């Protein structure tokens, strides 16, 4: 009898509270979005399943002695996992389009306005009863507008670990929604004539330029904004492994083994931050609304900067490519291409949008560095 | 910190932040141009070869082929190796 | 002279005790079995070499400051290595045969009787002078009957770390001996007519069923037996990566990189638990005898349950497939196939035995959860 | 704990343990059947297509081919993709 | 204003000291050598970039809370990274040539004289004002003469962690310079007639010999020199994975995934030891000079032992192959082949030089064990 | 420790060290020879087969082919599988 009671007390249903049940449902929902709707499945499948596992009562898988809790401590709290993923992103990214036309960096810069506008929005929410975001919380939320998963996770784990789950989920969800969020904004802000602009073929880029590029970017970061150096450093390191041509083995390891293994671990670890008391709160609703806002503002600012460049260059720049400045590589660039093709079936903007697209990655890492330097501990 | 102070704080953060992001990337535009200029001086692209190509085979109908070859070389150099 | 003395004292032969020498021989013996007899070489080569390295005098490779000792602390003491291997097992396993015919789960259940019978055997050995197993020791030994390496290591590292070396060696050795241990028992308990039963073709299984399967199994575990949730959780996570079809990269990482790297580390770490004072003890002899017993009882119960199902279904079930319920995937299923072919050269039972075979994996993880819940700390 | 108490303890553990394992897996059998039933309602297997196939080509000797096609479709659907 | 000041103070240029700037230049220089001159790029690209990242002011990437600093603590301070690389070396190395002609081990032994001569050189430098090497420092420097990266890093991290950066850089740089350093010495010490000696075809080696080889080497190490057991143990473990033929998966993991991932991490971690106060010191100059000396002496002793064996065997041994005894696999063997071909265009010495070459790996691991036993903590 | 003592110390280290390295590897030479001798007794190389080959086909011009086959077998056995 005693043992049967012990057994009953060890059961999940005897210990499950309503919050855990709801978070398990949220986990299943994320996996559903990932599989059925193809919402960034590489991250959302592990995040969703991690949420499921971490909210199982009694088991404590996400707790300090549980497997996922230990993975979180080792990989996310230290910031190592997002940095390793950023190394892989660097090794997978071709910066050629950006090197060929550096001015597209300005599009990547403009799109970061979404981040800073959201910062104000988050602080403004404090006037609504029930919200109490610190400046650091607001900065961590704002980075969702950067449309860059590893950057958001890196900054979130530094500035507001208790919001990390909601921030990561919002970041990846909106990145997945890029094809739905962006086109109406792009169409609203441009004329049909602007969207039909055919851009000039990109010039070829030499290998020396490709090899020097990581050093130039890193050096400027080191001199001006060292708080962005871990992110930019690993991004450029990965890119150097790719471009230098003498370390094929290491480049492959960064592009495959390391990024795949770390993605699984990182996803599970972030899932463990989806706990009822943190996620089923008013704050999460605020974060989701602000995240959407950040994306829209970022897209709009990118397109507006595209229009400015369109005028400044005498019509050589198609303003649509500004929308790719939010990063979300390579989806945003594909969306640009698609909207461009709607107007002119022979106008392929993909390569031209890759420049602002990868510029957006650098831009949001720089913005993360700024936020870290100005609000960080 | 009261909400208003925080809001003022975040406004300042926005101005400074966007300022830095823009200045940083604008500076990067300049430096990247300088880098490309220098790099192409030090190691010109192989697409200069096609310019020499037409001279070699001589005869008239060699020209279009050379032009195509040059275009292909250009295109391939533009893509990753 | 002083330095020569220091040198002599630093030599292995000046410090080796008889126990270390014998354990090095045991390590070599395990490697021999692995290479010459193909006894689960993926695990026994690293375990054997790990025993060899850890018993080198003076070097202390398996000690707290040695490489293998540190790997043990990080990977086995935390339980992370067996769980990662279980994720890989999930990613490598096709549960289709089980989904098509869920009733084979009963065969997987029956075969777990070997575990609980062994538990009594281990406790009963305490009546023999020289044995002093606690209930936790007994539970850790009993799990050998589950015929599932990672499950045995996970439970052993939780309940009886000092017996882990012997338990792991026994578990993998008997899994390798499945083709020798099982057939006589199978033949003794069945009639030739029963062995000739041709089973009905399995129905096809849809992808939706395959995707829902991990959730169903995990949910039931979460509700009823959360102590089994880490094992079942990682198994189902790996299986979801495999079946969901949208995370091919991660599925490959779980099936290859992660499982291979962890297998090397896990093997070395377990080898370091093969020390003379723990392994060259009467207990080990008891563990080896009980392990063999557990296997035999498990096989027998599986076959007997097969006979019950044979009668209950009016002869549609070939009772041989019950033997596959001990897990030992896929060897037990192959043994069933071979014994079936002995009677009828056209009766391929392999696919039909895969159902109970993978059911045995779930069954022993459930049994491990029960033992952990009822005897755990 | 004396040996006898421990033995008694382990006997109880065996009964409870096997009970749980069996109940758990029996329950799982039921739930899996329910799952399959639901899943096949929501997303029927592509092998329903062959049923429509024979109607299309019409003529007599089309039937065996359709049957074989259906069998192949069934078989392939049964294996992993 | 306050925030602008905070921003300025957070900038790199406001905090960079001259030492950091110079070390960043050194890092770039190493990457340049690696890419443009193909100096051991697999290690020098990560080491150089690691130096660059770790010397970025304010960011503290190489510090105790920085990513690279943490990687150093986990992987290098514990000795685990060089040992894992040695496992990979074992899995990549074919010891067949050594098994077929064991006497070439003497060439590998002779070449280690470079190590011990350098030890005296390092201690002798103490007579020069400004140098103050302890016996442990001297031993760590001397191992550069072993021409074996992981061995040098393993010993350096044990005996003189503060010199590790300079030692690793010197070791890999001179390994890359083998084709330039060795040929003049080889030509000076041999006659044209000796260089023309055509050696007898190597006998075939059976698989059993290949499988027994790791055990024989490890057993002798365990009995006589347990301080070399971690190095020799992982080398022979990797080689057993390769040769035993039943663990193809694990062998591939050791040869690819593990060694590639660890190489990236190890390189970055070692780069973090290239700090101005340690590297821009007189000691580094001494280490570079001594390292070159060690290489030259090692080569010369190998060739001289080759001449002795040439006489002892009645002219059957080409003394050139002695130069391969310094290890630097497989570059030293290729250099031997090239110098041999200079004299006789049909005399391929490559396979014959592989014996002393891999013997050099074992030789320097043994020498490292001796130094660790006699000067270690 | 003064420099001179240290130098004396390192000289002794050199003598002992080279002594050990040489003794160790010399011993290893012997043991490896013993190992190979034993291993080839236990499991002779497949190149003994070619010795039996010539007897089989009989006729005269079979010999060179058998010799070549033996050489190839020898060579392939010498390389890694
Ligand atoms: Na961005
Ligand atoms: Na089982
Ligand atoms: Na060497």
């Amino acid at each position: 009898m005693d043992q049967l009671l012990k057994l009953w007390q060890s059961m999940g249903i005897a210990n499950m509270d309503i919050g855990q049940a709801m978070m398990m449902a949220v986990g299943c929902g994320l996996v559903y979005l990932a599989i059925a709707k193809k919402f960034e499945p590489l991250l959302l499948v592990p995040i969703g399943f991690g949420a499921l596992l971490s909210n199982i009562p009694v088991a404590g898988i996400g707790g300090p002695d549980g497997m996922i809790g230990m993975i979180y401590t080792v990989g996310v709290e230290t910031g190592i996992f997002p940095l390793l993923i950023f190394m892989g992103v660097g090794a997978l990214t071709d910066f050629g389009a950006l090197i060929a036309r550096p001015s597209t960096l300005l599009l990547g810069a403009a799109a970061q306005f979404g981040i800073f506008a959201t910062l104000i929005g988050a602080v403004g929410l404090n006037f609504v009863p029930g919200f109490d975001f610190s400046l650091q919380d607001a900065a961590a939320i704002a980075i969702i507008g950067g449309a860059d998963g590893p950057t958001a996770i890196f900054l979130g784990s530094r500035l507001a670990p208790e919001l990390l789950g909601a921030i990561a989920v919002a970041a990846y969800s909106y990145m997945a929604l890029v094809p739905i969020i962006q086109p109406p904004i792009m169409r609203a802000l441009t004329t049909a004539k602007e969207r039909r602009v055919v851009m000039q073929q990109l010039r070829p880029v030499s290998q020396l330029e490709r090899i020097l590029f990581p050093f130039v970017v890193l050096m400027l970061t080191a001199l001006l904004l060292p708080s962005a150096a871990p992110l930019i450093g690993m991004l450029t390191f990965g890119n150097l492994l790719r471009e230098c041509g003498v370390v094929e083995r290491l480049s492959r390891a960064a592009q495959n083994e390391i990024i795949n293994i770390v993605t699984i671990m990182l996803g599970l670890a972030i899932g463990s931050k989806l706990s009822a008391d943190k996620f089923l709160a008013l704050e999460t609703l605020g974060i989701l609304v602000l995240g959407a806002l950040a994306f829209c503002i970022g897209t709009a600012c990118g397109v507006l900067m595209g229009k400015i460049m369109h005028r400044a260059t005498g019509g050589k720049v198609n303003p649509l490519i500004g929308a790719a400045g939010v990063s979300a590589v390579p989806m945003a660039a594909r969306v640009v291409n698609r909207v461009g093709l709607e107007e002119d079936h022979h106008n392929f903007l993909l390569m031209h949008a890759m420049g602002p697209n990868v510029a957006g990655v650098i831009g949001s890492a720089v913005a993360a560095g700024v936020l870290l330097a100005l609000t960080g501990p | 910190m009261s909400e208003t102070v925080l809001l003022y704080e975040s406004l300042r953060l926005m101005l400074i932040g966007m300022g830095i992001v823009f200045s940083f990337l604008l500076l990067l535009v300049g430096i990247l141009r300088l880098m490309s200029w220098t790099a192409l001086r030090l190691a010109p692209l192989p697409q200069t070869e096609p310019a020499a190509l037409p001279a070699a085979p001589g005869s008239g109908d060699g020209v279009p082929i050379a032009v195509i070859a040059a275009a292909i070389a250009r295109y391939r150099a533009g893509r990753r190796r």
Side-chain angles (χ1 to χ4, degrees), chain A residues 107-321:
Chain A
L107 299 168
Q112 309 313 319
F113 189 73
I115 293 177
F116 293 99
T118 310
L119 180 74
I120 293 181
V123 170
L125 267 186
N126 284 349
F127 289 99
V128 180
F131 285 100
D132 185 24
F133 290 131
S134 71
L135 200 60
Q136 302 196 352
D137 293 347
I141 295 166
I143 199 70
I144 297 172
D148 207 325
T151 300
I153 291 167
F154 182 77
L155 199 71
S157 68
R158 298 272 146 277
L159 294 181
E162 72 288 354
L163 301 176
L164 184 56
I167 290 172
V169 165
Y172 283 104
S173 301
Y174 290 126
M175 280 162 68
L177 288 175
V178 153
I180 294 164
I181 294 177
Q182 290 200 320
I185 301 171
M186 292 158 72
R187 287 192 209 103
L189 293 176
T190 51
T191 65
K193 187 167 159 263
E194 285 170 338
R195 292 201 289 279
R196 269 196 300 267
V197 169
V198 178
M199 291 181 72
Q200 203 185 332
Q201 173 85 25
L202 285 173
R203 71 169 177 85
V205 172
S206 76
Q207 203 199 351
L208 182 58
E209 288 176 275
R210 290 175 185 279
I211 292 176
L212 289 179
F213 176 77
F215 290 96
V216 165
V217 176
L218 180 60
M219 278 306 168
L220 199 64
T221 310
L223 291 179
L224 299 186
L225 200 61
S227 53
L231 281 170
I232 296 284
M234 293 312 284
L235 183 76
T236 52
F237 177 53
N239 193 242
L240 179 68
L241 293 182
R242 170 199 178 90
E243 301 293 355
C244 73
V246 290
V247 293
E248 195 51 44
R249 285 179 80 109
L250 306 187
S251 175
R252 259 185 295 119
Q255 286 174 15
N256 293 293
E257 284 91 298
I258 295 178
I259 204 171
N260 291 346
I261 294 172
V262 171
T263 299
I264 291 178
M265 304 291 166
L266 178 66
L268 290 175
I270 285 173
S272 76
K273 288 284 134 178
L274 290 181
S275 64
D277 55 329
K278 305 288 180 204
F279 193 81
L280 297 180
L282 199 56
E283 274 92 349
T284 302
L285 217 64
I287 290 174
L288 290 176
V289 170
L290 290 168
L293 209 73
F295 252 70
C296 296
I297 298 177
T299 304
C301 289
V303 174
L304 291 176
M305 177 54 92
K307 285 170 78 92
I308 295 176
M309 287 180 71
H310 176 74
R311 307 248 164 107
T313 57
K316 283 186 179 169
V317 170
N318 187 320
L320 286 179
I321 67 168

